[in-house]
Amino acid sequence: MTAPAEIASRSLIAVAGVSKAYPGTQALSNIDLHIMPGEIHGIAGQNGAGKSTLVRILSGVEKPDSGTVLLDGLPVSFDNPHAAQRARIMTVHQELSLMPHLSVAENIYVGELPRTVLGTVDWRAVRSQAREQLLRLGFDLDVRAPVGSLPIAHRQAVEIAKAVSGDARVLILDEPTATLPRHDVRQLFDLLNQLKKLGIAIIYISHHFDEMYEICDKISVFRDGRRVAVHEADASRHDLILQAMLGGVSTEQSAKLQLGSSETPRLGVGRTTGEVALAVRGLRDGHDLHGIDLTLHRGEVLGVAGLSGNGQSQLAAALFGAEKSTQQSFEINGRKRHTADPAESIRLGLGLLPEERKTQGLALTMSVTENITMASLAKFSPGFFLNRGSEHRAALRMRDALVIKVASVGQPVGNLSGGNQQKVALAKWLVSGVKTLIIVEPTRGVDVGAKLEIYELIRQFVEDGGSVIVITSEIDEALMCDRVLILSRGRISGSVDRAEIDEHGEAAVLNRFN
Amino acid sequence: MALNTSPVTPPQPQTSGLSAAVNALRTFTNSLGSKGYLFVVGALVLAVGSVLSPYFMTSRNLIAVLITASVVSVLAVGQYLVIVTGGIDLSVGAVAALSSVTVGLALQAGVSWPLALLLALLVAGFVGVFNGLMIIYGGITPFIVTLAMMSIARGVAYILQTGRQVAIDDQGFLSAFTADLGPLPAPVVIAMIVMIVLAVTMSQTRYGRRLFAIGGNPDAARLSGLPIKRDIVGAYFCSSLLAGLGGVMIAAQLTEGSAIIGEGYELNAIAAVVVGGASLFGGTGDPISAVLGGLIIAVILNIMDLLGIQAQPQLIVKGAVILLAVLFTSGVGNKLPGAIRKLVFQKRYTGKGSDLPSEGKEKEKIDAAK
């Protein structure tokens, strides 16, 4: 046994008794955590478990209500993120914090641009060092390009390069691989292992257990703002970790989540009909989509799979009419689509659950009710006035049916966790009565428990006669669909049907990726 | 009768007089909703006014304040519709001037007053639609479009006026916009009607909800199928239309149309909306709060008038009021109640000792770490 004091003094970074409350929720209660130099410490937990709050405290964004952060065993207090960075605690936040109009190089070195002897910025050095940093990560990017012009996966790389450029002692990664294609994850891990050898303490937050077992030394499990368990990061501890994290979830549910489990949940109900829900031929948007043919049958769950950056979000936007496109023909629920306009798509019975729900799917300052009824206001105002009573009842119905965890449906959506926000975004379409849905990355940034619930809700939607296109970069999600199209560089490069998936499993889809 | 209530009432916890008062005040302000602080500040201002000047609380003075505030209130309600979408309309003062000149010239030309009014509103509405179309289809930010329009509209008003005085002596027109309707003068009644109609529009109609949604998140609104282009043009149309109405009201009060009226009114309208607690980023606030915000400013200025304070220091006080209002309603304001709560209730909590152990533990750990 080691005395707590001794652990605290040897650890590079530690928190002792940290608590933090937000209006209505105790985000963290009495957290203790110690991380040694050269340790990669994973943090697992459902959305709303307090992981992001801990990150915000360690990175100086928030101050704890009580408790201390210890660096080298000495208490420190950060008034702002810059103070944390000066203490060389670098953070890659879940939401990217890059400046889209500045170049890649400027973003990486912002705040500490190398100077020439004259005191002006040494742009040559900025560019060459930025390039070097990115190459260490395995990315060969044009460092003069504005960040806004890069695909999301590359922006993530820039964000990580920025964090490690400043001679970090502590590196905090909040879901670093959420937008990284699998093969780039490998390069990230190589880099993390290098940093580990340099004695940097790394905090690694992720929803991907396989990644954490591979890269982490230990895994702390958070639940409801408490640290409920700590385990060696080893796949053999998976059951224990899952149990600690899920708490009340049944063993049947958690069995489905086990790595390599044969029993994956299905989104489709296998009731595909011959009728066409959505059909498009020769869809182009002039830059990212190069002639896509796609047919969704009624009652079908069609997966569109591909590594991120192959035109997923562009495809969703073009199908929904949010962006202009050209095509030979476009039909939704048996009727021709005349113009690219979301309002027209909705009239024809098509809805879109976008990838970035916070910036595209929801008005965060508005209430749960107001978000749920946003796409069907006409339904709630038969005369001149809104019927706020029936709006409220519809919101309550959705809250109960989808198990949306809210104190009140009058609460702003911005206060909810990712999983609950996704449910509100889904509820909006359920209330509107659309029969066909495009869902992009249905469970991005959603914790394991809520993930299963969302899969179940999609299944329910199909059961009730809906049809769904799931656009995803998660291979597991693609495998749950009735049929899978492979999206590659803006084209459909292959199609895999259910029988092939059942026979060959993951390989059926993976083999088609280039 | 209340026979069986008293025996089952649990004993009330003992609270100090101060905390009880703070509690009562908070319950009261909460029950007034988001406008709570405006009522409290308004009551405070009225109380201060009645203490400082014996003339303040006379009905003659109060009605004079209401008349002064009525034009800015009408402009502020229009401004609010634009601000809730995340935009701004700097042209309202100039549009009021243009509208006053239009109505004056029409009346001089012998047009009947309802037609002259309609003409002025049409001109104003046209300006608003132009603003909206430039913002939506020209892709120019609202600030720039309406800044340019502020200059254009006033320029047009000067040219129409051609240097002469545009006196108005149409008695029907003057009495419609200045006579008393029951206990209240017409301008006050007009401002109240405008306020109520727009308040109902914002809270009870689809259009109001759509404006909130556009201000809250334009992308989400568009992807929910809302006609955001049309709605934004509509908001600038309404703002200009109400500015035109305000201009007509001033013309009646001054018995002339003039290109120099309404100078700086756009800023007064924006100030009223902001003091009313709406965010310039859009998606918050309501028309009644905007009017209350404008009234608070008007009353403060009136009190200073009664005290014989010069116009120059009044400008400084007006600026300070705006800053204080924003401090109170935005960042600091949200923290303030918490800070007060801590100050008032800290003793009780520590008295129970619930906070003490964790504090002690914290200290131990820090000591141990050292």
Side-chain angles (χ1 to χ4, degrees), chain B residues 52-55 300-314:
Chain B
L52 290 181
S53 164
Y55 302 106
I300 291 173
L301 296 183
N302 172 252
I303 293 170
M304 289 192 290
D305 274 339
L306 290 176
L307 295 178
I309 295 172
Q310 301 285 308
Q312 295 86 338
Q314 287 198 16

Side-chain angles (χ1 to χ4, degrees), chain A residues 136-288:
Chain A
R136 271 172 75 194
L137 280 161
F139 283 89
D140 188 6
L141 304 181
D142 176 7
V143 295
R144 279 172 300 189
V147 159
S149 69
L150 302 180
I152 289 185
H154 288 172
R155 287 185 217 178
Q156 183 82 52
V158 174
E159 181 85 30
I160 293 169
K162 178 184 168 186
V164 299
S165 71
D167 203 12
R169 294 193 65 207
V170 178
L171 181 61
I172 303 168
L173 300 158
D174 192 356
E175 292 200 50
T177 59
T179 55
L180 276 189
R182 286 272 158 112
H183 58 89
D184 294 332
V185 171
R186 180 106 322 274
Q187 275 159 344
L188 172 66
F189 284 1
D190 289 345
L191 177 82
L192 292 185
N193 279 321
Q194 284 176 35
L195 296 174
K196 183 181 163 78
K197 286 196 195 103
L198 296 174
I200 292 173
I202 298 172
I203 297 174
Y204 190 94
I205 295 174
S206 177
H207 288 310
H208 297 289
F209 288 107
D210 46 350
E211 286 174 7
M212 285 206 279
Y213 297 141
E214 182 179 345
I215 192 73
C216 296
D217 299 305
K218 281 181 184 168
I219 297 177
S220 285
V221 183
F222 278 48
R223 191 174 80 224
D224 298 333
R226 293 170 195 283
R227 181 166 167 257
V228 289
V230 57
H231 290 283
E232 298 295 320
D234 190 306
S236 66
R237 304 290 182 100
H238 188 65
D239 287 350
L240 290 170
I241 290 173
L242 219 53
Q243 250 169 31
M245 186 170 139
L246 298 176
V249 172
S250 71
T251 46
E252 187 198 342
Q253 258 186 326
S254 58
K256 284 185 190 168
L257 294 166
Q258 290 202 20
L259 289 174
S261 160
S262 55
E263 200 193 326
T264 44
R266 283 280 306 275
L267 292 176
V269 293
R271 260 197 245 133
T272 306
T273 66
E275 285 174 76
V276 170
L278 185 151
V280 63
R281 301 200 63 77
L283 181 72
R284 294 166 194 276
D285 69 350
H287 30 96
D288 294 304

Side-chain angles (χ1 to χ4, degrees), chain B residues 23 33 63 95 134 180 183 267 305 310 366:
Chain B
N23 250 341
I63 284 184
V95 169
M134 286 304 282
D180 284 353
L267 299 181
D305 274 339
Q310 301 285 308
I366 296 167

